[in-house]
Amino acid sequence: DRFWRKTRSRNLRFHCRGVDANRNWKVKWCDEGASMHPCDDTYCGPFPESEPEVKAVANFLRKHRKHIRAYLSFHAYAQMLLYPYSYKYATIPNFNCVESAAYKAVKALRSVYGVRYRYGPASRTL
């Protein structure tokens, strides 16, 4: 399913699979746009970082935070390049740099694949 957006974890009470990994992080866990129902595409999980995929990445980022310059997360759900913030409408400190990089990336993707990508802060683009 090209538009599958959840992990593949099992839920013993429901016949639905998975958790929306984007909404499983500790930051603003299960906040606006997330669902508490396991069958919804935006299900945030039973608790923050309940998914092994999210927990592993979160632990890695915390352990190496002094050395990480950027973190990219690729999703197959839609043709969009999104960047912070998704939980508020504020502008990130390095907005101009990120905006320029996003523009160049979607331009390159279009030149190679002919596919138009939307880009921008997740809070406004979505």
Side-chain angles (χ1 to χ4, degrees):
D1 180 357
R2 162 111 166 55
F3 293 110
W4 183 263
R5 59 177 291 125
K6 295 165 71 178
T7 62
R8 299 299 294 159
S9 58
R10 292 184 183 274
N11 186 303
L12 299 176
R13 288 185 47 214
F14 296 87
H15 293 290
C16 309
R17 279 188 173 263
V19 168
D20 182 349
N22 290 329
R23 290 172 170 84
N24 191 238
W25 294 79
K26 284 185 181 179
V27 177
K28 301 290 183 179
W29 178 76
C30 215
D31 208 357
E32 189 174 337
S35 171
M36 289 295 289
H37 194 281
C39 294
D40 290 341
D41 282 344
T42 58
Y43 175 50
C44 58
F47 55 89
E49 297 181 11
S50 62
E51 301 307 286
E53 302 90 340
V54 175
K55 185 73 169 174
V57 173
N59 285 340
F60 178 87
L61 293 172
R62 283 191 286 266
K63 183 177 179 182
H64 300 285
R65 70 176 168 257
K66 292 180 181 178
H67 305 289
I68 294 174
R69 302 268 188 238
Y71 168 69
L72 300 176
S73 175
F74 289 90
H75 308 266
Y77 193 78
Q79 282 73 30
M80 289 187 270
L81 194 157
L82 306 171
Y83 42 89
Y85 294 109
S86 58
Y87 65 90
K88 62 181 179 179
Y89 286 97
T91 302
I92 56 176
N94 59 341
F95 177 81
N96 291 336
C97 177
V98 172
E99 180 83 0
S100 174
Y103 170 76
K104 290 174 185 174
V106 298
K107 187 176 172 186
L109 284 165
R110 185 169 180 211
S111 72
V112 173
Y113 300 107
V115 177
R116 290 180 190 259
Y117 279 72
R118 290 175 47 209
Y119 68 97
S123 57
R124 287 189 294 198
T125 307
L126 295 174

